[in-house]
Amino acid sequence: MELDALALKAQQSFYEDGLADIFMGGILLLVAVLILLISHFTFFLVFAIVIFNPLIYKALIDKAKQRWVYPRAGYVQPKPLHTPTRRDNLLGVALILTLLFAPILILFVSYSYPGLIIWVTWVAPVSLGLLFSIGPFIVARKYHIYRYYLFAILPPLLGLIIPWLNLSFPSIYVAYFTTLAIQLSIAGLIALLSGTVFFLRFIQRYPIELTDGDSTNALL
Amino acid sequence: MLSSDAPDKSPIAQDKLDPIIHSPARLKILTVLKEVESADFLFILRHTGLTRGNLSSHLSKLETVNYITITKEFVEKIPRTLIQLTKEGKNALETYRQQMLQKLERLK
């Protein structure tokens, strides 16, 4: 009796249907589009998405699982990955704000244009990419779901690759936001594709079984 | 009042294996439940590979000794039966694990 395999499979089951990948891909693509549009309103939306991401995630995933997953594979409430404290949340928001507005801060504080270029070209894409790696990395490490290592590596890796391509942009700010948008949209697209494949496989593997009423009635 | 990790809540003597947990089917059920917050009948059925009748009877036994709780709720008018490991169940499983380790150690 492989109890360890049974335990691991139970832990992994929440990610088996690919819906979490689809959600992650969708959010990354949405953020990328909003960043590309560059306006006060879209920036406000990006912050709102980043801050309320766990709530949106829970609501949408619950709804989708209720519709497609629970009737096929049963309901499961996984143990929380990590319960962030208020300090963690504040630290996260401060970090994101600092990274997004660092170019403006550097220019206003030091008037160092070369420093700004180095930041925008090499530091910002990788560090912003790393921010998007934290969640997938925790999932990959804790539950041994190897595709999440790819989701964790992609954003910072793309942050290294895109500057090598030497794309030309009309201004440094456009370069900054476009690089970020390209990074997020490629990572998002890959997560979305992977999620779709896993979801379709899941649907095929677990067709809805017709039973005589609620299968759990026997218990009560 | 006993503390939450008091081993004497288990219905077994110190060295005797808990007969409730020692059954492979119930051990499977408790292992699955230990890894999640809560799950429903279908989820446990899929993961343990038991038949519906078998699972139902084992769950009833586990509920009788208070190792699990079974609650019924309605989500958008659809019934959902939630099964959750209790503290007693968690402690009993841990005691069983330690006893098994000791027994296997003695076999060396």
Side-chain angles (χ1 to χ4, degrees):
Chain A
M1 192 163 50
E2 298 284 339
L3 285 179
D4 50 347
L6 191 70
L8 184 65
K9 206 164 171 273
Q11 289 174 349
Q12 291 175 336
S13 59
F14 188 78
Y15 299 92
E16 191 186 0
D17 51 51
L19 284 173
D21 308 20
I22 292 176
F23 176 84
M24 184 168 68
I27 287 286
L28 288 177
L29 280 174
L30 181 66
V31 169
V33 170
L34 290 173
I35 286 173
L36 269 184
L37 292 174
I38 310 182
S39 79
H40 293 309
F41 180 65
T42 54
F43 276 118
F44 169 76
L45 277 180
V46 169
F47 293 132
I49 290 170
V50 169
I51 291 165
F52 295 111
N53 191 33
L55 292 177
I56 306 168
Y57 177 81
K58 196 173 164 13
L60 286 180
I61 290 274
D62 267 359
K63 210 78 182 148
K65 283 192 181 265
Q66 184 82 21
R67 172 81 177 79
W68 290 293
V69 178
Y70 300 153
R72 292 180 157 82
Y75 169 84
V76 63
Q77 178 69 47
K79 284 188 172 170
L81 258 184
H82 165 69
T83 314
T85 59
R86 187 179 282 185
R87 193 173 144 266
D88 291 344
N89 286 332
L90 285 174
L91 203 71
V93 171
L95 201 65
I96 291 165
L97 288 176
T98 311
L99 285 170
L100 277 177
F101 286 107
I104 300 161
L105 282 174
I106 290 172
L107 202 62
F108 272 91
V109 173
S110 67
Y111 292 99
S112 159
Y113 198 71
L116 181 71
I117 290 175
I118 289 170
W119 171 272
V120 166
T121 315
W122 299 105
V123 183
V126 177
S127 38
L128 279 165
L130 281 172
L131 270 181
F132 287 94
S133 298
I134 299 167
F137 182 74
I138 295 172
V139 172
R141 201 178 152 83
K142 191 166 179 182
Y143 298 141
H144 305 274
I145 303 174
Y146 299 113
R147 68 181 189 275
Y148 273 71
Y149 279 119
L150 177 72
F151 300 155
I153 290 167
L154 263 178
L157 187 68
L158 287 166
L160 272 179
I161 293 171
I162 294 166
W164 281 102
L165 298 176
N166 260 333
L167 301 171
S168 59
F169 297 103
S171 78
I172 197 155
Y173 292 105
V174 175
Y176 178 60
F177 292 119
T178 311
T179 304
L180 181 59
I182 294 171
Q183 240 178 305
L184 297 184
S185 50
I186 295 174
L189 211 62
I190 288 171
L192 202 64
L193 283 174
S194 142
T196 309
V197 169
F198 273 86
F199 181 67
L200 292 175
R201 270 176 45 186
F202 178 84
I203 297 281
Q204 278 180 339
R205 194 181 297 165
Y206 302 108
I208 294 179
E209 284 177 36
L210 291 174
T211 54
D212 302 331
D214 179 12
S215 58
T216 58
N217 275 343
L219 291 167
L220 300 172
Chain B
M1 206 172 112
L2 289 168
S3 68
S4 61
D5 53 352
D8 49 348
K9 273 228 159 186
S10 161
I12 55 162
Q14 197 59 36
D15 199 42
K16 202 179 155 207
L17 288 172
D18 186 340
I20 295 284
I21 302 183
H22 199 51
S23 135
R26 288 192 288 271
L27 187 56
K28 274 184 180 179
I29 296 169
L30 292 177
T31 304
V32 169
L33 285 174
K34 187 180 160 281
E35 301 304 326
V36 299
E37 282 283 307
S38 59
D40 73 356
F41 188 87
L42 183 58
F43 181 86
I44 302 171
L45 187 79
R46 189 165 70 84
H47 279 81
T48 54
L50 300 170
T51 62
R52 282 174 191 272
N54 220 343
L55 176 59
S56 184
S57 114
H58 285 303
L59 286 176
S60 298
K61 267 185 197 150
L62 288 168
E63 193 189 19
T64 312
V65 291
N66 206 22
Y67 285 176
I68 61 166
T69 55
I70 301 173
T71 47
K72 195 150 187 166
E73 63 177 27
F74 284 85
V75 182
E76 292 173 9
K77 293 181 183 172
I78 300 165
R80 181 190 285 165
T81 306
L82 284 181
I83 301 146
Q84 211 167 0
L85 193 65
T86 60
K87 268 188 181 172
E88 285 89 342
K90 212 177 281 178
N91 291 336
L93 191 60
E94 180 54 26
T95 308
Y96 177 83
R97 193 185 70 85
Q98 283 173 4
Q99 285 175 325
M100 279 299 276
L101 282 175
Q102 281 169 10
K103 283 181 193 296
L104 290 171
E105 195 64 29
R106 273 182 230 145
L107 280 177
K108 264 187 179 177

